[in-house]
Amino acid sequence: MVRSSFIRFAAAFACLWGLLALPAQAQTETEVDLALVVAVDISFSMDTDEQALQREGFAQAFRSKLVHDAIRGGMLGRIAVTYMEWAGSPDQKVIIPWTVLDNSESLMAFADRIASTPLRRAQRTSISGAIDFSVKLLDESGLNATRRVIDVSGDGPNNQGRLVLEAREAALAKGITINGLPIMLRQAGYLDIPDLDVYYKDCVIGGQGSFTVPVRERDQFIEAIKTKILLEIANLMPDQPLISRIQSPPRTNCMAGEMQWRDRWSN
């Protein structure tokens, strides 16, 4: 009788210990050097050629040996990435869910998924919506990440949803870094603004080590994306220009896009 009771007690204890050990094991499995949201603009202002170049740039980035080496050089040697597309405030879509990248096979498979996804376009431009959605993805990822970064690419200012400064400040309050890839392939015109790179610097990016990599020519597009992904994974910043302005330019109007849209419909 005593022996039977002891066996039952031992079995119950082993079961309880196994249950207690599971969360710690799961947490170890989801520890990463970096949790990265790649947030890609698919608004109608991006023509299909630009979208194809953008898609190819991200695919090539994750195939790059330099990127593979940068991941292996991290403390844990693995990162997690999700790829999402955005346009107006109600339009954000996860194309590739959170994926742990820790070897060449996983990186190549991730790149192939980016390259094989059909292109789509949608209305309006809500950078704030993209940031808010990205923050939610990070908060609900279940990842234990040393760094959390949102990589926003786009070719115009925020013109829908809440103010981009509000979204940025909410993300920064959570310790998230926002980097930018302002796409400046056309002359500023209808619903565009000049110096989009300055707008991104003043109104979009923020957090520790934040930076932008502007794209001004089509032949720079793919290389700029590869450079940006590499810098984010390696936790580096672009080289600073050797010559800088003595005086800072006037601060950008962070409501420029909203004002353009309002003027469009008031005339």
Side-chain angles (χ1 to χ4, degrees):
M1 181 71 177
V2 172
R3 178 179 174 82
S4 177
S5 298
F6 177 79
I7 291 173
R8 285 197 299 270
F9 173 79
F13 179 81
C15 182
L16 177 62
W17 177 256
L19 290 173
L20 290 173
L22 278 175
Q25 182 181 5
Q27 183 177 12
T28 301
E29 290 174 352
T30 57
E31 286 183 345
V32 292
D33 292 309
L34 169 68
L36 174 64
V37 180
V38 177
V40 178
D41 181 8
I42 59 158
S43 59
F44 277 112
S45 57
M46 294 278 293
D47 64 39
T48 53
D49 287 344
E50 290 172 359
Q51 283 198 346
L53 279 171
Q54 183 172 229
R55 185 73 64 79
E56 180 61 22
F58 283 110
Q60 284 198 26
F62 287 103
R63 293 186 182 115
S64 167
K65 184 180 183 300
L66 291 175
V67 168
H68 295 199
D69 291 344
I71 293 173
R72 284 193 288 265
M75 291 290 292
L76 298 171
R78 59 181 176 269
I79 67 172
V81 185
T82 183
Y83 187 96
M84 58 84 73
E85 294 177 338
W86 61 273
S89 55
D91 196 325
Q92 301 91 28
K93 182 180 180 181
V94 173
I95 303 302
I96 306 175
W98 285 110
T99 305
V100 174
L101 305 178
D102 56 2
N103 56 44
S104 295
E105 291 75 17
S106 60
L107 281 149
M108 290 298 187
F110 190 83
D112 290 344
R113 292 185 69 181
I114 293 174
S116 63
T117 302
L119 298 175
R120 73 183 186 97
R121 301 168 75 194
Q123 294 182 337
R124 304 290 293 269
T125 301
S126 181
I127 302 173
S128 59
I131 292 173
D132 288 338
F133 187 78
S134 298
V135 169
K136 185 178 179 182
L137 289 176
L138 287 164
D139 285 345
E140 297 177 355
S141 67
L143 297 163
N144 182 5
T146 304
R147 293 182 293 121
R148 301 198 298 169
V149 175
I150 301 170
D151 176 337
V152 181
S153 63
D155 70 343
N158 193 77
N159 62 34
Q160 192 178 39
R162 70 166 170 164
L163 298 180
V164 68
L165 288 177
E166 294 175 354
R168 180 180 73 174
E169 294 310 310
L172 300 190
K174 291 176 175 283
I176 297 169
T177 296
I178 305 171
N179 295 327
L181 187 87
I183 300 166
M184 308 164 65
L185 300 183
R186 299 188 307 273
Q187 292 292 326
Y190 187 56
L191 294 182
D192 293 323
I193 61 172
D195 300 325
L196 184 65
D197 53 339
V198 179
Y199 174 90
Y200 261 69
K201 178 177 178 293
D202 288 347
C203 310
V204 178
I205 71 167
Q208 185 174 4
S210 61
F211 63 88
T212 64
V213 178
V215 181
R216 294 183 173 86
E217 303 291 341
R218 284 180 181 268
D219 58 4
Q220 297 175 347
F221 210 153
I222 290 176
E223 198 60 37
I225 292 173
K226 290 168 65 175
T227 298
K228 187 164 183 289
I229 292 293
L230 178 61
L231 292 172
E232 285 166 337
I233 291 172
N235 197 19
L236 299 172
M237 293 183 66
D239 292 334
Q240 297 300 311
L242 297 178
I243 301 175
S244 58
R245 299 176 183 176
I246 297 176
Q247 289 183 318
S248 298
R251 184 168 179 82
T252 304
N253 178 5
C254 293
M255 292 183 62
E258 288 86 349
M259 292 173 65
Q260 285 181 334
W261 195 263
R262 181 197 61 196
D263 293 344
R264 172 186 180 180
W265 292 106
S266 63
N267 293 331

